[in-house]
Amino acid sequence: MRSERGDDRNEQRGGGPLVVPENALIIVPIRNAVLFPGMILPLTIGREPSILAAQQAVKTDRPVGILLQRDAEVEQPRPQDLYRVGTVANILRYVTLPDNTHVIVCQGLQRFRVSGFLPGYPFPVTHPERIDEPETTDSQIEARVIRVRERALEVLQYLPQASQELVGAVKSITQPGALADLVAGVSELKLPDRQLVLETVDLTQRLDVVLACLLSRLEVLRLSREVDERTKASIDQRQREYLLREQMKSIQKELGEGDGSNSVEIEALRKAVAEAAMPEEVAAQANKELRRLERMTDASAEYSMVRAYLDWLIELPWREPAPDSIEIAEARRILDADHFGLTQVKKRIVEFLAVRKLNPGGHGPILCFVGPPGVGKTSLGQSIARALGRKFVRASLGGCHDEAEIRGHRRTYIGALPGNIIQAIRKAGSRGCVMMLDEIDKLGASFQGDPSAALLEVLDPEQNDSFRDNYLALPFDLSRMLFITTANVLDNIPGPLRDRMEIIQLPGYTQEEKLEIARRYLVGRQMVQNGLHEGQIEFAPAALQAIIRDYTREAGVRSLEREIGAVCRRVAVEIAEGKREGMQVGEADLAGILGAGRYDNEVALRTGLAGVATGLAWTPVGGDILFVEASRTIGDGKLILTGQLGEVMKESAQAALTLVKTHAASLGIEVGSFEKSNVHVHVPAGAIPKDGPSAGVAIFVALASLFVDQPVRNDTAMTGEISLRGLVLPVGGIKDKVLAAMRAGITRVLLPARNRRDLDEVPAEAREKLEFVFLDNVDDALANALRRQRAAATEGERE
């Protein structure tokens, strides 16, 4: 040892000695220990501020404050990196070892709480708030003391370093606080648990915390001992089995019954490899693994791994798939039988099948069906498989966030398996099947990799003829596979992956289409699922229309099928009870079965006042209508926005208010009224986040309606982005928005003029029922949205 008192490095840079106030406390931060009052603990310090702090305390013969760091990795802890409760301690001894390591031996005296750090010192200094130890006791505390002592003695039995003196100290201490501190310090609790005990002043709570930590620690120690005993027993058993097997091999060899290997199993595997029609490279690898397996004993840990790998190679379909048998007329019949409507989608699928028939070896496109839930994306894939005469397999990608789920795990990992692609091919038994990758827009990247990046090779016809799964580590030809993907939202698919697919949009259904789908498919399917036979239930057309109109509001037909199923279940109950033999379900019967209607035509009700406009919105599950409500109160010109609006929508509202101010003169609005009132814009359904620029026209019309005190036409809905020059800019999702307007009973739709070309995608039925007005600027919107007397007045002002 070089020194018992440390180096003399405790003078200020300016040349004078450090002066720490008498009522202040020098702090020594530590990384991985908690000192309790009454304990003596050696601490190693190596950071310059800590060494200076300890030397200053030794030199001035004063105590120090021991504080634990929140993160041991922080090299230079700041005040926020330290816990606020620590222990005042005396330095009994300061030792500098030959390797320049500094050690202080501290004795804990009392708890303290940091009230703030003093600036201007090379080490932390604080005015401490000393915490006195409670001395109260009662029967509850005494009972807790007994339980803590019993559990502590059990824990010490599992710790080999626990001495008899320590056990005696735990038995002899009677003060509750001292016992809790001693047990927490010697029971090898986790640092956060020790710090929690130190911070808990109340004796009852401190004893409860210590008891909970002891019970958790005791469970871990018991489990660890059981694992150690089981591991030792397992090793002994495996050694015994190995010796017995070696003896069996020797006996079989002396009896001339073979060389002791599993020759029958090996020969069966060799025959299966020969019959699997593997490519040359794969067959070579399989035979290599077979030779390895032949040299192993089946007690070896690697034996089962090699055997499982060979089973995968044997069971995969390596043979060339049979050629497709495509009849275009039959394909049309299948598509029409399985799906109603979707004319453009069926047309594209027939084109796809025709090209496949004329060029069987060509690389066709990867089809991606995009549309709201319940419009028939998955069932379209099944229909394509039927038309091709191929097997159909489905792999759901929703929530997939591990690249290994696509490419598989390497064989070095325990329990390794191929990815979902290879597993699905093995299940189908053909590498020419139709594989649907469902919910491709719901892939998620994580620290385990990006599954969408792994799909780039799978969905590229130019590359997937040599797809390598990590488990197989061999090329597998996917070029004869027909991949079809589905998605609800196109924007969530990464660009490079989207570029490899041909997007086919599936629109939502109109009410007439839903009626036909329910009549042709849903009623019969629900009758079978609920055990009803022909004649036991019959839906009147008016009943189905009422279910569609009053009980569902969706782009697809899933909710519609659930409601039809609910009606079927009610009838099934009455038939099972013998109350009736069948039922003709009419519109009047629905209220008693399904309850009151959930939806009604609320547009007229909600747009009867000035300041309310009906907008059109796009959601991942189809289009929807939204109401923009504007109100003003006496104020100083503020704009208040509510309803969970996103940043883009808030900016649209600000732009709309600016446009109203710009058009104040032409609208007959007093300019000073803007400065004397606060404007509040609210979009109901406040629990649902809303964003996007397409509500700009609706917000502008609502504000203009408010200030001119003229209501908006209740048969009109609108969409479009606005600019500060008053232009109406194009937006997306026109098809879904138009169908939503028709479902809500709207008869007129205001659209940006540059969205005129998007009407080609709108179903003919919607184009016939709705009146479309195309807007070039916001003046067109006002002329067509406000009531006729307001529009006429505006025209008169222009003249």
Side-chain angles (χ1 to χ4, degrees):
M1 297 184 184
R2 289 193 323 215
S3 171
E4 291 286 330
R5 301 290 290 180
D7 300 330
D8 193 11
R9 291 186 280 180
N10 51 9
E11 292 189 356
Q12 291 183 350
R13 300 283 183 186
L18 283 172
V19 177
V20 179
E22 289 295 327
N23 60 346
L25 183 65
I26 298 172
I27 300 298
V28 177
I30 55 176
R31 300 177 191 262
N32 52 10
V34 175
L35 177 64
F36 289 90
M39 291 184 62
I40 297 177
L41 189 67
L43 302 173
T44 301
I45 56 176
R47 293 176 288 199
E48 188 68 20
S50 299
I51 296 173
L52 292 175
Q55 291 177 353
Q56 179 69 16
V58 171
K59 181 177 180 180
T60 58
D61 196 21
R62 58 193 301 166
V64 295
I66 304 299
L67 277 181
L68 177 65
Q69 288 183 210
R70 296 183 184 274
D71 185 0
E73 300 297 328
V74 177
E75 188 61 31
Q76 297 296 333
R78 297 170 295 177
Q80 59 267 31
D81 297 327
L82 302 175
Y83 283 96
R84 312 305 289 178
V85 176
T87 304
V88 179
N90 282 333
I91 298 179
L92 302 180
R93 194 173 186 185
Y94 185 108
V95 180
T96 303
L97 301 179
D99 60 351
N100 203 29
T101 301
H102 299 261
V103 179
I104 55 175
V105 181
C106 298
Q107 181 180 22
L109 301 177
Q110 185 182 17
R111 287 174 169 80
F112 77 97
R113 182 178 286 105
V114 175
S115 59
F117 291 90
L118 303 180
Y121 295 92
F123 43 79
V125 178
T126 183
H127 282 306
E129 177 185 343
R130 295 178 180 259
I131 302 173
D132 295 326
E133 182 71 18
E135 297 181 355
T136 58
T137 185
D138 54 27
S139 59
Q140 296 292 331
I141 293 179
E142 292 174 358
R144 286 172 168 81
V145 167
I146 294 173
R147 293 187 63 192
V148 168
R149 183 178 287 114
E150 291 174 351
R151 298 290 85 77
L153 292 175
E154 288 185 41
V155 169
L156 292 179
Q157 291 178 359
Y158 287 97
L159 301 179
Q161 68 274 22
S163 62
Q164 291 300 321
E165 291 79 7
L166 182 58
V167 173
V170 172
K171 291 180 178 179
S172 61
I173 292 180
T174 58
Q175 292 85 0
L179 176 64
D181 292 345
L182 175 63
V183 170
V186 302
S187 299
E188 296 185 357
L189 302 182
K190 298 178 181 178
L191 280 178
D193 294 337
R194 298 187 201 180
Q195 181 65 29
L196 178 60
V197 173
L198 184 66
E199 293 177 356
T200 306
V201 179
D202 181 80
L203 289 178
T204 302
Q205 296 179 7
R206 195 190 311 175
L207 289 167
D208 287 341
V209 170
V210 172
L211 183 60
C213 295
L214 285 175
L215 292 174
S216 176
R217 178 65 177 156
L218 192 59
E219 187 68 24
V220 172
L221 291 171
R222 287 172 177 168
L223 182 61
S224 177
R225 175 171 291 185
E226 290 177 5
V227 170
D228 292 339
E229 292 174 355
R230 291 176 182 175
T231 303
K232 183 177 181 300
S234 175
I235 293 174
D236 294 340
Q237 180 65 20
R238 279 190 290 179
Q239 291 176 344
R240 180 174 177 273
E241 290 178 358
Y242 177 77
L243 292 175
L244 291 174
R245 291 184 185 279
E246 291 299 319
Q247 292 175 5
M248 184 181 296
K249 289 181 182 180
S250 300
I251 294 171
Q252 289 176 339
K253 189 174 182 179
E254 291 180 3
L255 294 175
E257 295 180 355
D259 55 359
S261 64
N262 298 324
S263 56
V264 176
E265 184 179 4
I266 297 297
E267 286 302 320
L269 288 174
R270 184 174 287 111
K271 181 181 179 181
V273 168
E275 295 175 351
M278 300 177 182
E280 183 178 351
E281 181 180 354
V282 179
Q285 179 67 23
N287 288 317
K288 178 182 176 181
E289 296 294 331
L290 194 58
R291 289 192 294 271
R292 288 182 58 205
L293 189 70
E294 195 172 6
R295 295 192 298 269
M296 294 179 189
T297 173
D298 55 4
S300 171
E302 195 176 3
Y303 183 91
S304 59
M305 183 187 73
V306 176
R307 174 60 194 269
Y309 179 71
L310 283 171
D311 287 341
W312 273 101
L313 292 183
I314 291 169
E315 294 176 12
L316 282 175
W318 300 99
R319 299 180 186 276
E320 188 73 14
D324 295 326
S325 176
I326 303 176
E327 293 294 337
I328 300 301
E330 179 65 11
R332 280 201 181 96
R333 188 196 65 77
I334 291 173
L335 290 172
D336 290 336
D338 292 348
H339 299 86
F340 179 80
L342 304 176
T343 305
Q344 295 297 324
V345 177
K346 292 178 182 177
K347 178 181 176 182
R348 179 62 189 91
I349 292 174
V350 169
E351 294 172 353
F352 171 80
L353 297 176
V355 172
R356 175 71 65 167
K357 179 177 182 179
L358 298 178
N359 185 16
H363 298 307
I366 307 296
L367 301 181
C368 178
F369 297 143
V370 179
V375 295
K377 299 185 293 294
T378 303
S379 59
L380 274 174
Q382 295 172 340
S383 299
I384 293 174
R386 286 180 56 199
L388 288 170
R390 297 191 185 190
K391 293 185 178 180
F392 177 83
V393 289
R394 174 181 170 272
S396 178
L397 302 181
C400 176
H401 56 79
D402 187 353
E403 183 182 347
E405 294 187 44
I406 306 298
R407 287 192 173 274
H409 299 84
R410 301 190 184 278
R411 282 193 292 154
T412 53
Y413 298 106
I414 296 176
L417 284 172
N420 290 340
I421 304 297
I422 297 297
Q423 290 188 42
I425 293 173
R426 179 191 182 186
K427 179 181 178 181
S430 169
R431 61 184 180 91
C433 60
V434 175
M435 178 177 291
M436 173 157 282
L437 302 176
D438 223 353
E439 311 291 354
I440 198 171
D441 59 327
K442 296 176 179 60
L443 291 170
S446 69
F447 67 94
Q448 297 166 317
D450 187 355
S452 63
L455 283 173
L456 292 176
E457 180 184 2
V458 175
L459 299 181
D460 191 344
E462 302 296 332
Q463 302 180 30
N464 61 11
D465 58 345
S466 58
F467 172 72
R468 298 185 75 90
D469 186 275
N470 288 332
Y471 181 82
L472 299 181
L474 292 168
F476 192 90
D477 187 1
L478 301 179
S479 61
R480 297 299 303 275
M481 297 278 295
L482 178 56
F483 290 100
I484 300 173
T485 64
T486 71
N488 295 130
V489 183
L490 191 60
D491 295 340
N492 293 345
I493 304 175
L497 187 58
R498 188 169 61 226
D499 185 60
R500 283 164 164 77
M501 301 183 293
E502 179 179 341
I503 307 301
I504 299 179
Q505 296 280 353
L506 274 72
Y509 294 116
T510 64
Q511 290 191 6
E512 284 70 17
E513 288 175 333
K514 289 182 179 179
L515 179 61
E516 284 297 319
I517 292 172
R519 187 176 61 83
R520 296 187 184 188
Y521 308 106
L522 305 184
V523 172
R525 189 157 61 200
Q526 286 301 314
M527 287 176 61
V528 172
Q529 291 183 5
N530 292 282
L532 298 176
H533 303 291
E534 190 72 25
Q536 289 184 322
I537 186 172
E538 184 177 347
F539 285 84
L544 292 175
Q545 289 177 342
I547 295 176
I548 296 169
R549 181 183 64 250
D550 300 334
Y551 294 90
T552 64
R553 185 161 292 176
E554 57 176 344
V557 292
R558 284 183 180 164
S559 294
L560 175 59
E561 184 172 4
R562 281 193 289 267
E563 299 301 329
I564 293 173
V567 176
C568 291
R569 287 193 297 273
R570 174 64 66 87
V571 175
V573 170
E574 296 186 0
I575 292 176
E577 291 178 344
K579 293 182 179 180
R580 64 173 72 205
E581 296 181 357
M583 182 177 181
Q584 171 81 22
V585 180
E587 183 176 357
D589 301 319
L590 296 179
I593 299 175
L594 300 178
R598 302 185 186 95
Y599 304 99
D600 53 21
N601 189 354
E602 59 180 352
V603 177
L605 176 65
R606 300 183 67 167
T607 57
L609 300 176
V612 182
T614 306
L616 295 174
W618 179 91
T619 70
V621 295
D624 200 359
I625 63 170
L626 56 82
F627 298 96
V628 179
E629 300 176 350
S631 178
R632 62 174 177 168
T633 57
I634 298 175
D636 54 358
K638 292 181 180 178
L639 175 62
I640 304 169
L641 303 172
T642 57
Q644 280 265 48
L645 307 185
E647 290 299 323
V648 177
M649 203 164 180
K650 290 179 180 178
E651 293 171 358
S652 296
Q654 294 168 353
L657 182 59
T658 301
L659 270 178
V660 174
K661 293 178 180 179
T662 304
H663 290 69
S666 62
L667 293 173
I669 304 172
E670 183 183 350
V671 178
S673 62
F674 294 104
E675 300 177 356
K676 299 175 184 178
S677 58
N678 291 337
V679 178
H680 187 165
V681 176
H682 177 67
V683 182
I688 302 174
K690 312 167 190 71
D691 203 1
S694 62
V697 170
I699 297 175
F700 171 78
V701 170
L703 291 173
S705 168
L706 173 69
F707 279 96
V708 301
D709 195 23
Q710 290 292 334
V712 181
R713 292 182 55 162
N714 55 26
D715 61 348
T716 301
M718 60 206 74
T719 184
E721 182 181 359
I722 58 174
S723 72
L724 287 179
R725 295 180 296 163
L727 300 178
V728 178
L729 306 179
V731 294
I734 295 297
K735 176 175 55 181
D736 295 314
K737 293 177 180 178
V738 168
L739 292 176
M742 188 173 67
R743 287 196 297 268
I746 299 291
T747 59
R748 296 174 76 245
V749 177
L750 309 186
L751 300 175
R754 290 164 60 184
N755 281 119
R756 188 187 300 267
R757 60 182 180 271
D758 294 318
L759 284 188
D760 295 338
E761 301 178 2
V762 176
E765 179 188 344
R767 294 200 300 267
E768 293 172 0
K769 287 190 174 183
L770 298 178
E771 176 188 351
F772 295 97
V773 179
F774 296 97
L775 312 175
D776 290 307
N777 50 56
V778 292
D779 292 331
D780 297 338
L782 290 180
N784 290 279
L786 298 184
R787 292 283 171 86
R788 291 188 180 276
Q789 57 267 33
R790 178 62 247 172
T794 304
E795 292 296 332
E797 292 172 3
R798 290 182 185 173
E799 293 178 1

